[in-house]
Amino acid sequence: MANLPDAVHIIEVGPRDGLQNEPEQIPTETKLAFIHALQAAGLPTIEATSFVHPKAIPQLADSGDVAAQLDQHANCTWMALVPNEKGLQRAIDAGFKRIAVFTAASDAFTEKNIRMSVAQSLETFASVVEQARTANMSVRGYVSTAFVCPYAGEIETSKVVDVSQSLWSMGCDEIAISDTIGAAAPTDIQRVIGAVAEQLPMDHIALHLHDTYGTALANVYAGLEMGVTRFDAAAGGLGGCPYALGASGNVATEDLVYLFDRMGIKTGVDLDKLFAASNLIATALKRDLPSKQWQRLRAACG
Ligand code: COA
Ligand code: ZN
């Protein structure tokens, strides 16, 4: 048996990565009820919204209103996605203490997503991260398309390592290696995480996995075996990426929690309360959610 950790940290990205991909406009009050239900379930970090251009992601155009009503006494860390200095200023005004910047290992992807090359985005983020840290904020950095890009195809490992190192050296404290289109297999995780971990401490590397091809949980286990302890997930398996057509949701938080519970690895998350949070958003979306655990618990509820 591999030497598995006693505890892991789940980063809930459903309110951002999940809801940004839902065609339906969810009322701000419903988003807040969802977010606070996730917090009540014990999730330690929640990516609540983003401060991108409202025309790029109209689903999250109410981010200022969401932020204004977040429970600031919550025992969890609120995080918001920021694409540039304007987004940083909006996040500062909204009271966030943690932001996430996002680039990719593929120019074709960043050009579509944020209208910059990877190099331009790193230049932009160097200044964003510096200003954020001056404002006493902490910063996560996403490396999207770390395995396969929907436009450029297979990604070279060295490119992922270079971008991760740039984000780390500019002051990001967590690097989220992201399988944006959910195409990776455990051997890809071993190759890429192995190479990134030669340059960066393992406990500052997170895995952000989508489940398009049904490999996400296998990839989580591959990461665990290598020493990764930080995993992104979205309640119910919500999610996708509007700039990666066909990409389906993030690995479902319920499915991760079940897996870790069953393996005796602590998450601090209550599966029943998490199910209640997912139900709330399933009702608002008027559809079933892809999570296996959500479907199982839903059936058990009759
Ligand atoms: N929030 C609100 N408005 C913004 C903004 C932000 N973060 N960044 C730029 N703008 C506004 C500018 O003020 C400017 O407004 P004006 O025309 O009234 O002067 C306008 O947008 C154009 O600014 P520019 O810097 O040229 O931006 P752009 O049009 O090149 O768009 C991004 C770049 C990054 C802002 C946009 O592509 C974006 O928000 N992408 C995010 C996509 C995303 O969230 N993807 C999913 C996450 S993986
Ligand atoms: Zn994602």
Side-chain angles (χ1 to χ4, degrees):
M1 276 295 281
N3 199 6
L4 298 176
D6 297 330
V8 291
H9 190 106
I10 299 182
I11 296 101
E12 171 64 46
V13 298
R16 196 280 301 171
D17 206 354
L19 296 187
Q20 77 178 13
N21 204 41
E22 293 295 339
E24 198 147 338
Q25 191 67 37
I26 309 284
T28 307
E29 289 310 314
T30 308
K31 288 180 186 168
L32 279 158
F34 175 47
I35 291 168
H36 287 136
L38 291 166
Q39 176 230 323
L43 284 149
T45 302
I46 300 177
E47 194 173 60
T49 189
S50 67
F51 292 98
V52 300
H53 197 295
K55 281 199 187 129
I57 308 283
Q59 292 92 330
L60 302 181
D62 62 350
S63 46
D65 297 332
V66 168
Q69 297 174 71
L70 285 177
D71 178 0
Q72 293 303 338
H73 300 291
N75 53 349
C76 83
T77 301
W78 304 121
M79 182 166 76
L81 193 75
V82 158
N84 54 18
E85 290 190 17
K86 172 132 192 183
L88 171 66
Q89 195 52 53
R90 292 173 61 206
I92 291 174
D93 294 345
F96 278 89
K97 298 278 185 290
R98 183 163 178 75
I99 57 162
V101 297
F102 57 112
T103 183
S106 155
D107 286 306
F109 189 77
T110 53
E111 293 284 2
K112 289 252 182 346
N113 197 20
I114 48 178
R115 298 159 61 119
M116 301 176 220
S117 65
V118 172
Q120 283 168 331
S121 75
L122 290 171
E123 230 170 87
T124 298
F125 291 137
S127 150
V128 168
V129 174
E130 192 186 335
Q131 291 176 52
R133 294 191 26 132
T134 306
N136 283 325
M137 298 163 106
S138 64
V139 188
R140 137 183 276 223
Y142 280 100
V143 184
S144 294
T145 60
F147 304 91
V148 182
C149 168
Y151 311 110
E154 294 294 329
I155 295 296
E156 275 180 38
T157 315
S158 60
K159 185 79 188 171
V160 184
V161 173
D162 289 349
V163 174
S164 301
Q165 243 179 337
S166 298
L167 289 169
W168 175 254
S169 55
M170 70 177 70
C172 292
D173 60 27
E174 181 184 43
I175 307 299
I177 303 296
S178 306
D179 186 12
T180 309
I181 62 164
T187 40
D188 295 306
I189 303 294
Q190 287 163 352
R191 169 177 55 82
V192 172
I193 296 295
V196 174
E198 276 179 25
Q199 310 295 333
L200 261 60
M202 189 66 100
D203 55 348
H204 293 265
I205 299 173
L207 266 174
H208 177 97
L209 300 168
H210 285 257
D211 199 31
T212 317
Y213 292 81
T215 52
L217 275 187
N219 291 340
V220 166
Y221 187 74
L224 261 188
E225 275 193 317
M226 301 192 73
V228 176
T229 55
R230 307 181 71 80
F231 296 93
D232 292 9
L238 290 170
C241 174
Y243 297 92
L245 286 183
S248 63
N250 295 88
V251 65
T253 317
E254 291 90 336
D255 298 353
L256 265 196
V257 170
Y258 175 79
L259 180 80
F260 292 135
D261 279 354
R262 179 78 187 164
M263 291 172 74
I265 297 172
K266 293 188 194 65
T267 63
V269 182
D270 181 302
L271 189 54
D272 291 331
K273 288 187 182 162
L274 177 57
F275 173 62
S278 295
N279 270 345
L280 205 148
I281 206 69
T283 305
L285 294 170
K286 301 183 203 66
R287 67 172 175 88
D288 287 348
L289 300 176
S291 160
K292 291 279 186 200
Q293 292 306 316
W294 183 85
Q295 290 173 16
R296 178 182 69 79
L297 291 164
R298 180 71 154 203
C301 287

